[in-house]
Amino acid sequence: RMSGSSASLSVAPVIEAYHARFPAVRLQLYTSDRPLDLRRREADIAIRVTQRPDEDLFGRKICNVGFGAFASPELIDVSGTQLRALPWIGWDASAGATVTEAWFRDVLPGTEPVVRVTHTTSMVDLAVAGVGAAILPTPLGSQAGLRPLGGEIPARGSESWCLCHPELRYSDRVRGFMQATGDAL
């Protein structure tokens, strides 16, 4: 069982590489912005975007993740690229998206998003549909076909980690998945 936020990079190459190496292992992928508790074994492995992974977990840093502002080509055609002129998609307070919300408050004070979401997939879908611009992990915005509205957001980057319960770190299937994750991403 694997938990991962869709805010991280696509896990398709990871699963493909892992399945080639461990064809008998069956995976269950759970994507959510709500982190599962690895200590309580709600999942065996999690891919999380964070700068401070839980010190009680075992893990491997996979890559750095930058964030940027993105909008659909259609929205840019209608509204332009001036940040204040665009409608925005924001995070609901319950989502805990402190990285993107801090930028939003600093750069666009007083701007109220046209919609707030609790899941990254919803944010991407709404941005692709042209509902508003969004702050997204740079790889995710690019993969979705959205256009960047400037460069990466300074000092707002984070890291992507592959984590597990410490007792599982010696498991061949878990170590194999962590290796496949590092190789693919």
Side-chain angles (χ1 to χ4, degrees):
R1 291 171 300 152
M2 183 195 132
S3 166
S5 166
S6 58
S8 61
L9 300 172
S10 172
V11 295
V14 174
I15 292 174
E16 179 182 29
Y18 182 79
H19 181 67
R21 186 169 173 200
F22 295 93
V25 175
R26 297 295 173 245
L27 297 173
Q28 179 181 0
L29 178 63
Y30 174 79
T31 55
S32 173
D33 288 321
R34 182 190 72 81
L36 297 178
D37 190 339
L38 296 175
R39 288 181 303 266
R40 292 188 355 208
R41 303 281 175 92
E42 291 180 344
D44 294 334
I45 299 170
I47 297 176
R48 298 212 174 121
V49 176
T50 181
Q51 287 193 339
R52 291 189 194 132
D54 188 328
E55 59 189 43
D56 294 336
L57 300 175
F58 175 79
R60 174 183 181 176
K61 178 182 166 185
I62 317 169
C63 62
N64 291 319
V65 179
F67 286 82
F70 289 89
S72 71
E74 296 79 14
L75 181 61
I76 291 171
D77 288 345
V78 171
S79 300
T81 59
Q82 292 296 322
L83 300 181
R84 285 214 170 270
L86 293 164
W88 284 88
I89 303 162
W91 286 103
D92 182 80
S94 67
T98 56
V99 169
T100 57
E101 287 303 290
W103 178 90
F104 194 80
R105 281 190 312 274
D106 293 348
V107 175
L108 299 167
T111 301
E112 186 59 34
V114 295
V115 62
R116 290 189 177 274
V117 298
T118 59
H119 197 273
T120 306
T121 302
S122 299
M123 184 172 279
V124 171
D125 289 346
L126 291 167
V128 167
V131 172
I135 306 303
L136 295 167
T138 303
L140 188 60
S142 297
Q143 288 171 0
L146 298 169
R147 289 198 187 148
L149 300 167
E152 280 195 5
I153 296 170
R156 301 286 187 203
S158 197
E159 300 169 344
S160 189
W161 286 78
C162 188
L163 302 166
C164 71
H165 189 283
E167 292 176 7
L168 293 177
R169 70 181 175 188
Y170 300 111
S171 161
D172 286 341
R173 63 186 173 84
V174 170
R175 287 176 44 200
F177 193 88
M178 286 191 169
Q179 181 66 45
T181 302
D183 292 348
L185 301 179

